[in-house]
Amino acid sequence: MIRAYVTLLLASATLLTRGQELEWDAPIDVDVENGGTLRPRVALNGSGEPVVLWADGMNACLAAVGMGGAFMDPMMVSPAGLEVATSDWQGPGIACKGSTVWAVFKGLPED
């Protein structure tokens, strides 16, 4: 079985000038159990922690919140019974302000 992973790569937040290279932190696996990886999106919450949103490939959306270099268990954010329109070119979006997180997605069928 081929297993896909949602992995977050973080870069140092220093301003680069010409000739400098970007330094990446070690990858952090977000969701190794469920395997869905369609259109991952990331936003920072009010605490400066990453919130990652993605589609699982079976028409549902999941999210995970970063906490000190690791991620909490993923949670389903799409309502039960709603099929979310996802593919490699379309899918959920995310925005954060303070402790509020908005997940935006389109349901199926697409009329």
Side-chain angles (χ1 to χ4, degrees):
M1 177 171 121
I2 297 174
R3 188 175 284 242
Y5 301 97
V6 176
T7 302
L8 182 65
L9 295 173
L10 302 173
S12 300
T14 56
L15 185 61
L16 298 176
T17 59
R18 188 175 302 190
Q20 289 182 312
E21 291 187 22
L22 191 61
E23 294 183 27
W24 292 97
D25 293 339
I28 303 168
D29 288 329
V30 177
D31 180 24
V32 297
E33 296 299 321
N34 295 313
T37 61
L38 285 175
R39 293 189 46 89
R41 299 292 183 253
V42 65
L44 297 178
N45 64 18
S47 300
E49 298 288 355
V51 180
V52 180
L53 175 73
W54 69 95
D56 70 353
M58 294 182 281
N59 300 79
C61 290
L62 296 109
V65 179
M67 301 284 293
F71 279 85
M72 296 171 54
D73 289 337
M75 62 191 94
M76 185 76 63
V77 296
S78 52
L82 175 70
E83 290 187 66
V84 178
T86 60
S87 69
D88 58 351
W89 60 272
Q90 72 167 346
I94 187 171
C96 296
K97 181 164 178 140
S99 62
T100 303
V101 177
W102 291 275
V104 181
F105 40 84
K106 184 175 185 176
L108 290 174
E110 294 184 88
D111 293 328

